[in-house]
Amino acid sequence: MYKSIKDFTLEFKNPITLLILILIIGIFFRLFNIWDNFTFGYDQGRDAQRISDIMTFKNLKLVGQESDIPGVFHGALTYYLLAPIHFLSNSNPNYSAIFLSIINLSGVVLLYYSSVVLFKNRGIGLVAGFFWAVSYEQISFARFISNASAMGIASIIFFLGIAIYLFQKKQWGLTLSIVGLVLCVQFNFYLIYLILFYPIFYFIYKPKINKRIIIPNFVIMLVLLSFYLFVELRWNFMMSKALISYFLHNRGSFDLIENTSRYASRVFEAVYYSFLALDSAVLFPLFIIFSIIGWRLMKNTKLIVFFYLWLFSTVPLFFFSSGVLETQLINTTLFAPLTLLIAYCITQLYIKKRANLLLFICVLLIVMFSNINLLYKDNFKSIRLLSKQNFILADEKKLIDYTYQSSKEKEFSVCALTNPLFVNTLWSYLYNWYGKDKYGYIPYWAGQEQTNADNKLPYDKKHVSERYLIIEPPVGMPDFVKKVFIYMEDNTSTLQDEKKFGDLIVQKRKLHTDLSEFTNSQNLTSQEIKSIKSKIKIDPRYTCYTTYTNDI
């Protein structure tokens, strides 16, 4: 029986052998069944189009995706990071998913190094790296083509840099943390709050700061964040005003019970989707138990303070109200220290209790198979966690193929019930990237004029006879929308066929020669039609039969 994990790893010529094996396991889980089997919805289509505009120098970006606070934007780094991948792959999203998966896998190495810096124990790093490699949550983030994909990696770099600076007394650690901070802000602006940890750690540890590095590090931060400064000056401090307005309107009474419950739910999800898929009544107490065990086992007070500040670094965010608190994105700074905590407790208990090595390996296998079971339930697509709507690229390509093949590759128009409503960004991009490349032409767009979106499909000015209605998953849409949408089309076209690809529905239709004809394909009652007509009076945009202005 081995006395320690260190003894166990010494059987190999180098622990790097085990690390490489873990990386192989991680890349297998991330790339297995990845081709076309990942989320590609409105956000992905919008970003892909913006990246295409950057590559053609049509519209270079200073800021990135919109946040859930109006007027506040994330950084544009994701666009420029993926631009070379788009260029080399002819804008094929599969290669972006693979590229982001490899970036996510770097968390294995970062956690390994973090354990060396904090615990001076490679075994803990190997266990933590293994947990990261097989985590259903991390596999989901890895395949998610979004600015959010690399948030967890950026946060590890930030805290690891500070740890190197504080515990190894290496000045470059501070520079590394600044790079990590800027990456965090680039990938998601709300992570700007991490800057507060600089004064917190300074007043706790009071490190001796080499005055010669203060100015260079400040300049590095200023240069890396200069794009935000430029945007603020260019747009009359729009983001600052938006943030001030947000904080002023979120000063409501603090509900301790509600906020604690919300925090507990996010922690439960972090444990559930990466370690043990059990009931919440078990997992949050388990988190508390591991936190207490870790506290008691760590003998170094300075280490305890640093580690638990990192572990509970998301707590301040729950004093505010924001949409990000209801998503898995909030866990991006939690998962790394949580993984290290569980790895630390398991390895230390194994060492101190002289547990059987087979039992230790069984614990690792239980965690792995718990994650495999989650992947199996998700059909090895990793889409449930980060997307409320089931938008799979494979289904979208099958739908597009159907429209071309069903029309016998003759001209046709498309219209879509989209989320956001009346925005054809996703289908405009997909028909241009996939449809045009495979079939040599693109359909007409028969929906509303795209005044706030970059439409790449020609408008259906001549009202071609063959038309297809694409109905996206109804999640997030008002209940009445689908009925109104189809009712309006029943007034202008006849339903000929309907197909379903995943959660996507497409109707093949033929335009009426007599526009006064009404087919009522939904078998609506007179009361339902009356209700629908009242909705149309409020918002007439549901029709796909549009007479476009001459200047389009």
Side-chain angles (χ1 to χ4, degrees), residues 11 106 200 324 441 448:
E11 278 204 354
S106 67
I200 291 173
V324 74
Y441 71 105
Q448 291 298 314

Side-chain angles (χ1 to χ4, degrees), residues 512-526:
H512 290 159
T513 54
D514 180 4
L515 294 182
S516 65
E517 185 181 346
F518 174 61
T519 54
N520 195 8
S521 67
Q522 303 178 94
N523 296 317
L524 299 171
T525 64
S526 58

Side-chain angles (χ1 to χ4, degrees), residues 93 113 207 219 290 305 327 350 362 407 412 429 446 512 516:
Y113 190 45
V219 170
F290 270 101
V305 172
T327 70
Y350 165 74
C362 283
S407 64
F412 62 94
Y429 179 80
H512 290 159
S516 65

Side-chain angles (χ1 to χ4, degrees), residues 119-221:
F119 308 114
K120 298 178 176 58
N121 189 311
R122 295 176 179 178
I124 296 171
L126 291 172
V127 174
F130 175 78
F131 287 154
W132 184 281
V134 301
S135 162
Y136 171 79
E137 181 170 330
Q138 290 309 314
I139 294 168
S140 297
F141 271 100
R143 296 182 174 192
F144 194 47
I145 306 177
S146 165
N147 56 298
S149 181
M151 286 169 60
I153 300 298
S155 70
I156 299 176
I157 294 173
F158 171 75
F159 282 101
L160 175 59
I162 294 178
I164 291 170
Y165 177 68
L166 293 176
F167 297 107
Q168 294 188 336
K169 310 301 181 184
K170 295 178 180 178
Q171 301 295 326
W172 62 267
L174 188 59
T175 304
L176 180 65
S177 74
I178 289 172
V179 172
L181 174 65
V182 174
L183 289 175
C184 285
V185 176
Q186 282 277 353
F187 294 134
N188 202 303
F189 185 80
Y190 90 82
L191 291 177
I192 189 69
Y193 85 97
L194 292 176
I195 200 171
L196 297 175
F197 282 91
Y198 284 132
I200 291 173
F201 283 128
Y202 176 79
F203 285 113
I204 292 175
Y205 292 96
K206 294 182 172 55
K208 292 182 180 179
I209 299 178
N210 187 336
K211 294 181 180 180
R212 290 180 297 177
I213 70 167
I214 294 178
I215 294 179
N217 279 295
F218 178 76
V219 170
I220 290 172
M221 180 183 291

Side-chain angles (χ1 to χ4, degrees), residues 67-70 72 189-190 239-252 262 316-325:
S67 73
D68 63 342
I69 302 176
V72 177
F189 185 80
Y190 90 82
M239 290 184 60
S240 297
K241 292 176 181 178
L243 286 171
I244 292 172
S245 175
Y246 168 76
F247 286 116
L248 290 176
H249 289 86
N250 282 273
R251 294 185 305 171
R262 185 182 295 171
L317 297 173
F318 289 84
F319 285 82
F320 301 93
S321 176
S322 173
V324 74
L325 300 179

